[in-house]
């Protein structure tokens, strides 16, 4: 091409582009549900899979499991306030199972499935599907298997398809967590025939189920663009509960918290998830939106002190730190008031639940006295925290550093990138760490088993070891009666307060903002939104 | 044509080096992929299981060999953050970034080149000072700040711009993919409603990028015009009594364009991968934010795929710039 032609051609091509419109207009597409039938949810990031049982599934995949698949049972829903409905973890209500009966000898439970329940494919749900799905959960490995085990659901032999509509779970041992663990997001039911047909030889159809919904839940996934959006539409033939009001839900991934805030404040988004405490405090103060602030069950923000290594293997020193913590400043300065205080409680636990306020409070004299008693000379140490949650953890760390300086403890802050943080915790060498933990199954012994037990699970970040503690935790987990349970729970709570390998700071809120016309917000242990009960009026 | 092939062949060693370096870098970087993806409630066994599944427990040379074998088959691996093959992700996200970058660049060029010319022709005038102010503002305002400011003013306060929800409003559906550019694809099927929707979405992010890209282009246009305007052939042209518009636009500008085109290429490739913050603010599903998300999660495959894609793009872009330069300047063809 000659250069003159080239120079002439460039602008001509640029101008011609929008005009070059062939007369083929797309065939009139089906009318999309209108704005009032559609919910627009904005969240920080979306699912990385459609299969919550699969290895490496991210937190939002719980929402997919919740909305697109059914479980045998769900937790009984309980209103919390005018905005939020919570749940009672000790009571269950039917989902796929219409009824169930525990055997008189207490060794099994038998479920009767709904006669009319169908999968999205139209095929009736059978007990074989339930068996395949639960077998999968205990065999696939990773988080799903760990979670199933927490309720003594460990082997495929425990699951029996008695007949087409009858399903039995045999108990390995008497465990109060077995039944509630059937209601969390993991043991959901797949359309096993369709999954196996598409598995391409893989026993558990991992690749197929990772990219496809293959079940019978209240919603189907119309489109999934990872990192951009997930579009759900209602399954009109859903029988495991009242038909949801919303026909369509669009969940958009909006990484920037400022943008999420602008969208909800302008009224373009219906619900906003994962709002930083500062923004949420502003939204609450502005009072224009409906807000749900649910204290996350079983969860605390804490400072862990490494009890296996010097200097914090000294109990007096740990107690001195617990008396020196700037609790109030952390709640106000780092969390903008979005949490329940976990300090300043009575010397013995106020109630036998978790979390419970510890008896410590900011009291410099007591801290100094204990520091002197401990015999520790002034020293330098390191505090690690996750850069991923730095909007919260960074001010926390700075406040702790300042508060401990008068005791002669020089704290060096070490901010660790998200990907490395868990690895760093697993090494169990950090003297101090800021972290957050909460179990789905809201029992104190469940929290203590993961965090305080001498079997040293990866959550026992302080590497705390105490045979007395272990004995009480084990006794409470499988307690034969209420009295034994209460004695042991009281025992380990008191010992936890005494030895303070973990210094609880606050119980965080799960904050969600929504427009005034949104109703029926449901909070579950997985914290993900449940579209089935949401309404838009 | 032969020269072209030679040039392509010449870039192969560079690409090979990129492959090796990114592989080593993603393995050397601190961070444990398996621990991260095992999630907060993982046990030691489940971490080990994930590590084995990802092949991260094998010796490095074996991992590299496996990576190369897959690469030859066009397989860039799986992203753990999105759960999709990296190639699919990149093919989906690259057009989004390219469309935004091109729009931003177009905007920048249409302002920066006239501004640069004006500043050069009327040196020391008001226009020259205006050029300096705009350029300084453009480079010194960080893009995330300009982005947030534009969102605040035009969306939040004035309500002129649509919600910053990405490439299209949540209730619109994307046009069938031909080029991956929504503006082009919508125009191709004559779907003007979608076209207007896509245009409305792209205006603010493109303006943010454009403001940033303005500076280097205006600067280089001005400098290069000044150099050319001082050359002898321009003096000759003036002496011959040619109209000043002919001198500036026909003779001076064409000669001054060479460095501008080269700069344009550099600015384009830089913006394509580096506008992460703009992508974040406007929820634009682009390739820069994709790579950064992956990096934060120490998810190696997308990072490697991203670097490789960018390397290939650089090579192709440089080639294209050379060709444009040849078209513009006869001397470049002989060289």
């Amino acid at each position: 091409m000659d250069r003159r032609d080239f120079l002439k051609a460039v602008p001509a091509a640029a101008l011609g582009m929008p005009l070059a419109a062939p007369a083929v207009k797309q065939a009139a597409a089906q009318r999309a549900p209108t704005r009032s039938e559609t919910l627009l949810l904005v969240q920080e990031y979306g699912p990385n899979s459609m299969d919550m049982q699969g290895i490496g599934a991210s937190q939002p995949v719980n929402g997919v499991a919740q909305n697109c698949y059914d479980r045998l049972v769900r937790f009984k829903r309980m209103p919390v306030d005018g905005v939020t409905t919570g749940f009672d973890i000790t009571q269950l209500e039917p989902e796929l199972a219409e009824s169930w009966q525990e055997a008189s000898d207490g060794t099994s439970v038998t479920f009767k499935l709904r006669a009319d329940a169908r999968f999205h494919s139209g095929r009736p749900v059978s007990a074989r599907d339930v068996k395949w799905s639960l077998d999968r959960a205990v065999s696939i490995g990773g988080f799903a298997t760990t979670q199933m085990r927490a309720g003594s659901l460990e082997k495929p032999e425990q699951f029996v398809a008695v007949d087409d509509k009858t399903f039995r779970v045999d108990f390995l041992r008497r465990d109060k967590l077995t039944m509630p663990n059937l209601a969390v997001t993991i043991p959901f039911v797949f359309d096993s025939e369709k999954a196996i047909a598409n598995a391409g030889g893989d026993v558990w159809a991992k690749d197929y189920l990772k990219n496809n919904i293959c079940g019978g839940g209240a919603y189907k996934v119309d489109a999934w663009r990872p990192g951009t959006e997930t579009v759900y539409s209602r399954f009109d033939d859903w029988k495991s509960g009242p038909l949801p009001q919303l026909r369509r839900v669009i969940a958009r991934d909006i990484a920037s918290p400022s943008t999420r805030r602008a969208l909800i404040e302008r009224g373009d988004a219906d619900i906003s998830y994962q709002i930083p405490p500062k923004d949420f405090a502003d939204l609450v103060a502005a009072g224009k939106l409906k807000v749900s602030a649910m204290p996350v069950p079983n969860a605390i923000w804490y400072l862990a002190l490494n009890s296996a290594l010097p200097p914090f293997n000294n109990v007096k020193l740990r107690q001195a730190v617990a008396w020196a913590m700037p609790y109030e400043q952390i709640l106000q300065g780092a969390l903008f008031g979005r949490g329940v205080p976990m300090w300043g409680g009575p010397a013995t636990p106020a109630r036998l639940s978790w979390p419970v306020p510890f008896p410590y409070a900011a009291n410099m004299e007591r801290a100094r006295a204990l520091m002197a008693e401990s015999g520790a000379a002034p020293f330098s140490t390191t505090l690690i925290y996750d850069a991923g949650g730095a909007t919260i953890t960074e001010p926390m760390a700075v406040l702790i550093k300042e508060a401990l300086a008068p005791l002669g403890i020089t704290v060096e802050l070490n901010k660790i990138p998200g990907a490395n943080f868990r690895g760093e915790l697993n090494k169990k060498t950090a003297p101090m760490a800021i972290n957050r933990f909460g179990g789905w199954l809201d029992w104190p012994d469940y929290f203590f088993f993961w965090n305080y037990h001498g079997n040293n699970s990866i959550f026992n970040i302080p590497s705390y070891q105490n045979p007395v503690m272990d004995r009480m935790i084990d006794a409470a987990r499988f307690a034969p009666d209420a009295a034994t349970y209460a004695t042991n729970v009281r025992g380990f709570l008191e010992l936890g307060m005494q030895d303070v390998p973990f210094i609880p700071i606050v119980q965080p809120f799960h904050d969600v903002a929504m427009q005034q016309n949104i109703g029926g917000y449901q909070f579950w242990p997985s914290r993900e939104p449940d579209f089935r009960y949401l309404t838009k009026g | 044509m032969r020269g072209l092939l030679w040039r392509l062949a010449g870039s192969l060693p560079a690409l090979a080096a990129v492959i090796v370096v990114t592989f080593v870098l993603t393995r050397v970087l601190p961070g444990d992929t398996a621990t991260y993806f095992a999630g907060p409630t993982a046990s030691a066994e489940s971490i080990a299981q994930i590590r084995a599944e990802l092949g991260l427990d094998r010796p490095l040379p074996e991992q590299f060999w496996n990576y190369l074998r897959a690469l030859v088959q066009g397989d860039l691996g799986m992203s753990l953050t999105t759960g999709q093959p990296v190639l699919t992700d990149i093919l989906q996200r690259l057009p989004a970034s390219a469309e935004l970058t091109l729009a931003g660049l177009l905007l920048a060029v249409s302002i920066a080149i006239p501004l640069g010319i004006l500043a050069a022709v009327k040196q020391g005038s008001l226009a020259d000072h205006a050029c300096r102010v705009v350029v300084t503002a453009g480079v010194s305002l960080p893009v995330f700040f300009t982005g947030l400011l534009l969102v605040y003013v035009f969306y939040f306060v004035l309500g002129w711009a649509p919600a910053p929800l990405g490439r299209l409003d949540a209730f619109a559906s994307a046009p069938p993919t031909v080029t991956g550019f929504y503006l082009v694809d919508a125009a191709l099927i004559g779907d003007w409603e979608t076209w207007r929707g896509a245009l409305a979405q792209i205006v603010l992010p493109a303006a943010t990028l454009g403001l940033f890209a303005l500076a280097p282009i205006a600067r280089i246009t001005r400098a290069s015009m000044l150099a050319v305007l001082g050359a002898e052939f321009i003096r000759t042209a003036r002496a011959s009594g040619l109209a000043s518009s002919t001198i500036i636009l026909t003779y001076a500008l064409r000669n001054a364009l060479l460095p501008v085109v080269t700069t344009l290429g550099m600015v384009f490739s830089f913006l394509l991968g580096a506008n992460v913050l703009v992508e974040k603010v406007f929820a634009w599903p682009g390739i820069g934010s994709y790579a950064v998300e992956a990096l934060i999660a120490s998810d190696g495959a997308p990072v490697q795929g991203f670097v490789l894609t960018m390397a290939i793009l650089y090579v192709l872009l440089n080639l294209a710039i050379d060709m444009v330069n040849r078209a513009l300047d006869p001397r470049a063809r002989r060289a």
Side-chain angles (χ1 to χ4, degrees), chain A residues 9-294:
Chain A
V10 170
L15 286 174
M17 239 162 15
L19 301 174
V24 277
K25 185 116 184 167
Q26 213 184 5
Q30 199 188 345
R31 191 189 67 87
T34 59
R35 179 116 212 196
S36 65
E37 297 161 309
T38 305
L39 182 92
L40 178 60
L41 174 139
V42 291
Q43 57 192 2
E44 186 180 0
Y45 62 99
N48 65 349
S49 161
M50 295 281 108
D51 174 15
M52 191 56 217
Q53 291 182 359
I55 287 182
S58 60
Q59 162 68 21
V61 187
N62 282 300
V64 177
Q66 191 75 58
N67 293 298
C68 301
Y69 290 97
D70 283 347
R71 278 136 292 271
L72 288 168
V73 288
R74 57 179 165 248
F75 297 119
K76 191 172 169 57
R77 303 171 61 226
M78 300 286 255
V80 175
D81 53 36
V83 178
T84 315
T85 307
F87 58 92
D88 179 349
I89 202 154
T90 60
Q91 292 189 61
L92 300 172
E93 59 179 46
E95 194 156 282
L96 252 184
E98 59 180 16
S99 66
W100 57 93
Q101 182 69 51
E102 272 191 50
S104 51
D105 61 356
T107 57
S108 69
V109 56
T110 304
F111 294 90
K112 242 351 203 187
L113 302 187
R114 272 176 210 280
D116 55 353
R118 284 172 188 282
F119 290 117
H120 299 158
S121 62
R123 192 172 66 82
V125 178
S126 90
R128 286 187 318 279
D129 296 299
V130 184
K131 169 153 176 64
W132 189 80
S133 308
L134 268 57
D135 285 356
R136 188 177 191 265
V138 297
S139 314
I140 197 166
F143 171 63
T145 302
T146 310
Q147 181 63 41
M148 292 297 281
R149 255 186 217 166
S152 297
L153 298 164
E154 297 171 12
K155 294 186 285 206
E157 297 83 71
Q158 287 180 267
F159 309 121
V160 185
V162 179
D163 63 43
D164 202 38
K165 292 285 177 191
T166 315
F167 177 73
R168 194 178 78 227
V169 177
D170 292 334
F171 299 146
L172 278 185
R173 60 187 77 89
R174 189 99 204 111
D175 185 343
K176 63 180 177 298
L177 301 186
T178 302
M179 288 302 283
N181 207 27
L182 287 171
V184 300
T185 48
I186 296 296
F188 58 87
V189 177
F190 291 103
D191 181 341
S192 64
E193 278 183 21
K194 193 175 163 196
I196 292 166
N198 288 289
D202 177 21
V203 205
W204 299 124
K206 290 200 274 287
D207 279 341
Y208 176 70
L209 293 175
K210 183 176 175 184
N211 290 299
N212 295 278
I213 296 295
C214 180
Y219 284 86
K220 301 185 265 191
V221 168
D222 283 352
W224 174 42
R225 297 179 193 89
T228 309
E229 67 175 354
T230 316
V231 181
Y232 301 85
S233 69
R234 190 178 64 192
F235 173 46
D236 291 336
D237 211 13
W238 189 60
K239 293 293 190 300
S240 305
L243 191 68
Q245 190 225 41
L246 296 167
R247 278 186 56 201
R248 192 155 178 256
V249 177
I250 301 173
R252 278 256 171 148
D253 308 341
I254 310 282
S256 153
S258 320
T259 308
R260 284 203 299 281
R261 180 174 167 183
L263 287 167
I264 191 86
E265 275 198 88
R266 279 282 301 179
D268 283 310
D270 294 313
I271 289 202
S272 180
Y273 250 64
Q274 297 142 335
I275 301 175
K278 162 95 179 71
D279 288 309
F280 201 82
D282 290 349
L283 291 181
V284 172
K288 278 194 278 183
L289 296 162
K290 245 190 204 179
V291 290
S292 165
M294 185 75 186

Side-chain angles (χ1 to χ4, degrees), chain B residues 244-261:
Chain B
S244 118
S245 64
T246 319
I247 294 173
I248 293 167
L249 293 180
T250 314
Y251 294 99
L253 181 60
R254 191 171 301 164
N255 281 284
L257 268 184
L258 282 177
V260 176
V261 169

Side-chain angles (χ1 to χ4, degrees), chain A residues 506-523:
Chain A
V506 295
Q507 179 181 20
F509 282 158
H510 182 69
D511 289 331
V512 176
M514 60 201 100
Q515 302 299 336
Q516 291 291 352
N517 63 347
I518 304 297
Y521 172 69
Q522 172 69 46
F523 177 88

Side-chain angles (χ1 to χ4, degrees), chain A residues 3 22 143 252 259 268 420 458-459, chain B residues 31 40-42 155 165 188 281 327:
Chain A
R3 85 172 188 281
F143 171 63
R252 278 256 171 148
T259 308
D268 283 310
N420 305 4
I458 59 173
F459 310 109
Chain B
T41 39
Y155 166 66
L165 276 166
L188 282 179
V281 169

